[in-house]
Amino acid sequence: MPNVRETKAADIMHKGVETISSGATVAEALRKMKQLKVSSLIVERRNKNDAYGILTKADIITKVIDAGPKRKNLSHTKVFQIMSKPLVTVSPGLAIKYCTRVMKKSG
């Protein structure tokens, strides 16, 4: 691996990305995450003009399970209701130091 100053996103990124339909339930998403041993899924666009989203275990915990009085049912809540959107991406050729700036700025 190149030194840190030369490291590009392509050097550390995952190439096999797992996806889920935005209309799937959160319960289905959790089962898929467990089966695939991943902590996030890319959420497919609902139409060609829509943005991709991402669903993480942290989204599920904070927006569904630990939501207090606003707690939702895993089997009735759809992925699109709690996913983070739009999905922020970077070019594989971008240096890691710039990737961190993009991610920090986007939250």
Side-chain angles (χ1 to χ4, degrees):
M1 179 180 297
N3 71 43
V4 175
R5 292 186 179 268
E6 298 173 2
T7 303
K8 307 280 187 218
D11 297 326
I12 63 169
M13 69 185 208
H14 293 275
K15 298 184 177 56
V17 183
E18 300 298 339
T19 65
I20 193 159
S21 166
S22 61
T25 66
V26 174
E28 292 169 325
L30 275 173
R31 278 193 294 276
K32 187 169 187 174
M33 287 178 181
K34 183 177 180 180
Q35 174 192 7
L36 298 170
K37 298 180 182 167
V38 297
S39 60
S40 63
L41 297 167
I42 302 301
V43 182
E44 299 165 359
R45 302 183 304 175
R46 293 198 291 181
N47 61 60
K48 67 178 184 169
N49 297 320
D50 199 8
Y52 287 95
I54 188 167
L55 180 69
T56 66
K57 285 184 180 177
D59 289 326
I60 296 168
I61 291 167
T62 59
K63 297 173 184 174
V64 179
I65 297 170
D66 286 344
K70 295 182 180 182
R71 184 177 180 162
K72 297 173 174 63
N73 184 306
L74 294 171
S75 298
H76 294 100
T77 305
K78 301 291 184 181
V79 168
F80 75 85
Q81 294 175 293
I82 66 163
M83 69 183 188
S84 298
K85 181 179 165 183
L87 176 62
V88 176
T89 63
V90 295
S91 168
L94 191 63
I96 293 300
K97 65 181 178 179
Y98 298 114
C99 295
T100 57
R101 288 181 191 170
V102 170
M103 295 300 161
K104 185 175 181 180
K105 186 175 182 179
S106 66

